Amino acid sequence: MNNKSVNIISRRMWTGKVFIVVLLIFGSINSSFAQDIKVDINALIQETQKMSQSQHEMTLVWWIPEDFWRVNFEQNPNITKAQTEEFIKLLRPYIIVVAVDGEIGNFGGVSYESESTIRNSIRLIDNQRNNYRPLSTETVNADLKNFLSLMEPVFVNMLGPLGQNMHFFLFPPKNEAGQDIADAKKEGTFSVKLNQREFKWRLPLGSLLAPKICPVDGERLSGAWKFCPWHGVELK
């Protein structure tokens, strides 16, 4: 087996592990959300995670929007609506990003960058190309820091060295004009830059919206699309 094959197998195993852990932590949900829209949690995870396409890198940038937490908590019978709203209120002043950055060696071993190294290079970029550095931990709400610190050992226990190198970074949610930088259900774009690599999101996220219908053949398509990609007609 050559080095390229080792790297590809390592990346596939890594990608699958991250996806499974996310489902275990938050629950495998096909949930009801906002006016009986069915949210496919698998699709939501895929839309919010971005990964490097290089065979030599194990780099993941995962944007966790407010809607992701809400979908999860609203399906937990042990959490009341008031508790959900209180937690969402805690999250709202921040954009939460999880990042892990590793380089795969010739024999499948991974060398990970430290939290401080990633912190120095990671940037949030809004649709006007304004850059935002991660917020200092001293400025983050103490309750939120405690919650995120509880998440870290879960990643470690389930993923070992990979989980140990998954780090949370918090960014401001609004630009200088007071506009939301990343609203999962409104049109827009933003990206996260890690060194020279940039991971871009186009909004809204289709998994959070009711599907649209092609008037030509009645096919159900992503709620984020405006036109049918096959017939060129406006979706209903």
Side-chain angles (χ1 to χ4, degrees):
M1 183 179 295
N2 59 33
N3 293 342
K4 181 177 180 181
S5 297
V6 170
N7 288 345
I8 291 173
I9 292 172
S10 297
R11 279 179 52 81
R12 286 177 177 172
M13 292 177 64
W14 168 74
T15 302
K17 285 183 179 179
V18 171
F19 188 81
I20 290 169
V21 166
V22 170
L23 293 180
L24 288 173
I25 292 173
F26 296 102
S28 182
I29 311 166
N30 186 14
S31 63
S32 174
F33 174 75
Q35 300 176 346
D36 296 328
I37 295 172
K38 296 295 183 180
V39 175
D40 182 345
I41 195 66
N42 296 0
L44 181 54
I45 292 170
Q46 291 173 358
E47 283 192 290
T48 53
Q49 288 186 351
K50 303 290 183 179
M51 298 182 184
S52 170
Q53 298 304 306
S54 170
Q55 67 180 21
H56 299 290
E57 294 176 343
M58 277 193 179
T59 302
L60 165 73
V61 177
W62 180 24
W63 166 49
I64 313 181
E66 172 186 319
D67 306 87
F68 188 96
W69 305 97
R70 184 180 294 279
V71 168
N72 178 67
F73 292 139
E74 287 185 348
Q75 295 305 303
N76 189 328
N78 298 317
I79 300 178
T80 67
K81 183 176 181 180
Q83 289 172 327
T84 295
E85 292 304 320
E86 188 66 23
F87 187 81
I88 295 299
K89 183 180 178 181
L90 184 68
L91 297 171
R92 194 161 287 145
Y94 310 98
I95 290 175
I96 300 178
V97 172
V98 174
V100 57
D101 192 16
E103 182 178 355
I104 305 174
N106 289 333
F107 296 97
V110 185
S111 299
Y112 293 103
E113 297 288 2
S114 66
E115 192 273 349
S116 59
T117 299
I118 298 176
R119 176 175 291 275
N120 287 333
S121 63
I122 194 169
R123 298 291 182 269
L124 179 72
I125 304 175
D126 66 20
N127 61 359
Q128 300 297 316
R129 302 300 297 175
N130 297 310
N131 282 239
Y132 303 85
R133 296 174 61 90
L135 296 171
S136 168
T137 55
E138 287 75 17
T139 66
V140 175
N141 181 283
D143 285 338
L144 181 57
K145 283 196 293 187
N146 286 341
F147 172 76
L148 296 181
S149 68
L150 292 174
M151 295 288 295
E152 291 175 355
V154 176
F155 285 132
V156 174
N157 290 337
M158 292 185 174
L159 292 174
L162 172 63
Q164 188 175 4
N165 290 280
M166 297 179 74
H167 305 292
F168 286 92
F169 300 95
L170 306 182
F171 296 89
K174 297 181 182 295
N175 60 21
E176 291 184 356
Q179 301 167 323
D180 291 329
I181 295 173
D183 188 323
K185 289 184 286 187
K186 292 183 179 179
E187 287 190 24
T189 61
F190 78 98
S191 59
V192 172
K193 190 172 183 179
L194 186 56
N195 290 321
Q196 300 305 311
R197 297 152 297 177
E198 189 165 341
F199 304 89
K200 185 175 182 178
W201 282 265
R202 293 186 181 276
L203 305 175
L205 299 179
S207 56
L208 295 175
L209 303 176
K212 292 181 180 178
I213 307 299
C214 174
V216 175
D217 60 6
E219 183 176 357
R220 292 162 62 91
L221 299 171
S222 171
W225 295 356
K226 293 183 178 180
F227 296 91
C228 175
W230 296 280
H231 302 105
V233 297
E234 186 173 3
L235 298 175
K236 304 298 184 182

